[in-house]
Amino acid sequence: DQQVKQNSPSLSVQEGRISILNCDYTNSMFDYFLWYKKYPAEGPTFLISISSIKDKNEDGRFTVFLNKSAKHLSLHIVPSQPGDSAVYFCAASADNNNDMRFGAGTRLTVKP
Amino acid sequence: SQTIHQWPATLVQPVGSPLSLECTVEGTSNPNLYWYRQAAGRGLQLLFYSVGIGQISSEVPQNLSASRPQDRQFILSSKKLLLSDSGFYLCASGLAHEQFFGPGTRLTVL
């Protein structure tokens, strides 16, 4: 079962504009959420995370928003840069579990 | 910080042949270890995870198996590969709240 969903397989934005990547989850036990960035032929790298006790976490150009009631989170990148072009995976975990669930990923293309 | 080693980086194998992918971890002890597969056009699928030597949990029934003979070694195996086993295999280490990934192995089954 797909407990973490990224419904947009791809997103294209212009350099300098905002990129918004969305993620929905179904398991109310999830209490920690992460975004990973992946380039082709490489492993994913951790980008930013948020605990369920917060609704926003910001790190430079990257901000993650969490709406627990809607079971929705989003990653905002502003301003977007061509180097941000990659596949972005949303992930979620529950404190009492040993695993993490990933979404299918969204391929972001930032055009110069 | 942790370093995850995977080899080989790429592998082309015929259908029905065996498989052994190895993952080793540096910079940590007694890590949780994970095998994921990223198939073409799909996300990361958790295949196996291990919380200790000899302890393997399987997430998806399949013709793959995993073993953890040492604390920082995790092996993914198959006795007979299927075409559907093609994909990008990732080893990860860490806890549920944050994982570090290896560089991956691109497996093509012909």
Side-chain angles (χ1 to χ4, degrees), chain A residues 31-32 34 36 38 41-46 49 87 89 92-95 97-105, chain B residues 32 34 36 38 41-46 49 51 59 88 90 94-104 106:
Chain A
D31 59 2
Y32 201 77
L34 307 92
Y36 282 82
K38 183 183 181 301
E42 295 182 10
T45 55
F46 170 75
S49 64
V87 176
F89 289 100
S93 68
D95 188 46
N97 281 350
N98 286 313
D99 57 39
M100 187 183 304
R101 300 292 167 169
F102 285 82
Chain B
N32 287 356
Y34 306 82
Y36 290 90
Q38 182 188 16
R42 302 180 66 178
L44 294 179
Q45 180 185 33
L46 178 64
Y49 70 90
V51 299
E59 288 295 308
F88 191 57
L90 290 157
L95 301 175
H97 280 9
E98 187 169 343
Q99 294 177 15
F100 299 90
F101 285 83
R106 170 71 61 190

Side-chain angles (χ1 to χ4, degrees), chain B residues 45-93:
Chain B
Q45 180 185 33
L46 178 64
L47 301 176
F48 301 94
Y49 70 90
S50 170
V51 299
I53 295 174
Q55 301 179 62
I56 308 295
S57 296
S58 174
E59 288 295 308
V60 183
Q62 57 212 321
N63 70 320
L64 299 171
S65 62
S67 62
R68 186 169 177 176
Q70 300 180 38
D71 180 45
R72 287 174 284 180
Q73 184 185 29
F74 204 23
I75 297 172
L76 183 69
S77 305
S78 174
K79 293 181 179 178
K80 287 186 178 181
L81 284 168
L82 306 173
L83 287 174
S84 58
D85 291 324
S86 293
F88 191 57
Y89 289 83
L90 290 157
C91 177
S93 168

Side-chain angles (χ1 to χ4, degrees), chain B residues 3-22:
Chain B
T3 303
I4 318 297
H5 300 280
Q6 284 187 248
W7 63 91
T10 60
L11 189 60
V12 180
Q13 292 284 102
V15 169
S17 64
L19 173 74
S20 180
L21 301 181
E22 188 163 345

